[in-house]
Amino acid sequence: MIMTAIITVIAAYLIGSVSFAVIFSAVFIKKDVRNLGSGNAGTTNMMRVAGFLPGALTFICDALKGFVACYIGKLIFEYAYAQTESIWLHSSVGVYLCGLACMLGHMYPIFFGFKGGKGVLVGVASFLPIDPRVFFALLIVFIVIFAITKYVSISSILGAALSPIAICLMSIMVDGEKFGRSLLYLLLCLPMAAMVVYMHRSNMERLMNGTESKFTFKFNK
């Protein structure tokens, strides 16, 4: 039975390893996005170096892969462990584990030399199968902070930092979950948040030095 969980998590990592930024940059501009701009294989850098359409496609596909990986984890854990009462084999745990694995795949893609993106969008999209309310809450936080600051990095870091708090608030205060399960969700969410903050360490250094670039949309090559 444990092998089912292991195989599911590995599959989520492989899904995350499909780097759409690298694929779309090769298609649209015949270059590797990781050699341009910030060197990050994500939506923001794609928008900057390749334009709106490649960036939008990267955004959609990265969000979808995060959602699909986690939804598969939810379905498989529900089916394989339907008869167990262990909180460690609950379907929500499957979603968290697959979300974490998908983020690792996105950051360190096995198909693209282990050099990928920062995992923000994949991480946020993984909350859809867990709790859509958390997803929309984090999305609103991101949009508001970005509208005020115009810094994608600040919006991403603060959104990631707030995600464990949002999970706890929803599970305890809104849904009335038991403390044990809520604590488990918090423990599973913390690594995802920490990974996003860690991947933005260079951005934080530039923010402190006043050299971080604000984001503007680019509609042409």
Side-chain angles (χ1 to χ4, degrees):
M1 294 289 283
I2 298 299
M3 281 303 300
T4 302
I6 294 173
I7 292 171
T8 304
V9 171
I10 292 174
Y13 169 79
L14 295 176
I15 292 172
S17 290
V18 180
S19 183
F20 289 103
V22 177
I23 294 170
F24 289 136
S25 64
V27 171
F28 283 94
I29 60 175
K30 313 301 181 187
K31 295 178 181 178
D32 189 332
V33 68
R34 296 172 297 179
N35 297 325
L36 303 170
S38 66
N40 180 52
T43 298
T44 304
N45 199 36
M46 280 292 289
M47 288 273 190
R48 283 174 171 156
V49 305
F52 179 79
L53 179 58
L57 289 173
T58 301
F59 177 92
I60 293 169
C61 292
D62 279 350
L64 279 175
K65 78 179 181 184
F67 171 78
V68 168
C70 292
Y71 193 69
I72 290 173
K74 180 180 180 180
L75 292 178
I76 291 178
F77 269 65
E78 281 180 349
Y79 176 78
Y81 307 113
Q83 304 303 318
T84 182
E85 296 183 1
S86 171
I87 61 173
W88 291 100
L89 295 175
H90 190 270
S91 60
S92 295
V93 175
V95 178
Y96 279 110
L97 292 177
C98 287
L100 183 61
C102 190
M103 286 178 67
L104 282 170
H106 180 77
M107 296 171 177
Y108 306 104
I110 192 172
F111 305 129
F112 296 93
F114 299 99
K115 184 181 178 183
K118 296 181 179 178
V120 178
L121 185 57
V122 174
V124 172
S126 69
F127 283 105
L128 267 172
I130 298 170
D131 191 333
R133 298 168 302 180
V134 174
F135 168 81
F136 287 111
L138 294 177
L139 186 61
I140 290 170
V141 168
F142 180 92
I143 292 172
V144 170
I145 295 173
F146 175 73
I148 295 171
T149 66
K150 298 298 187 296
Y151 287 115
V152 174
S153 54
I154 293 178
S155 307
S156 302
I157 293 166
L158 290 179
L162 289 172
S163 60
I165 300 173
I167 284 291
C168 284
L169 288 176
M170 288 297 180
S171 62
I172 296 176
M173 298 181 65
V174 179
D175 295 332
E177 288 274 15
K178 293 181 179 179
F179 178 75
R181 181 169 289 180
S182 299
L183 179 61
L184 174 60
Y185 293 164
L186 173 64
L187 293 175
L188 290 168
C189 185
L190 281 174
M192 298 172 68
M195 284 166 58
V196 171
V197 175
Y198 174 77
M199 295 299 287
H200 283 83
R201 60 195 185 280
S202 59
N203 300 86
M204 289 188 285
E205 184 177 344
R206 288 195 295 271
L207 284 166
M208 289 187 289
N209 294 334
T211 56
E212 178 77 337
S213 299
K214 293 186 177 182
F215 180 79
T216 55
F217 287 99
K218 178 180 180 181
F219 289 90
N220 299 311
K221 288 186 178 180

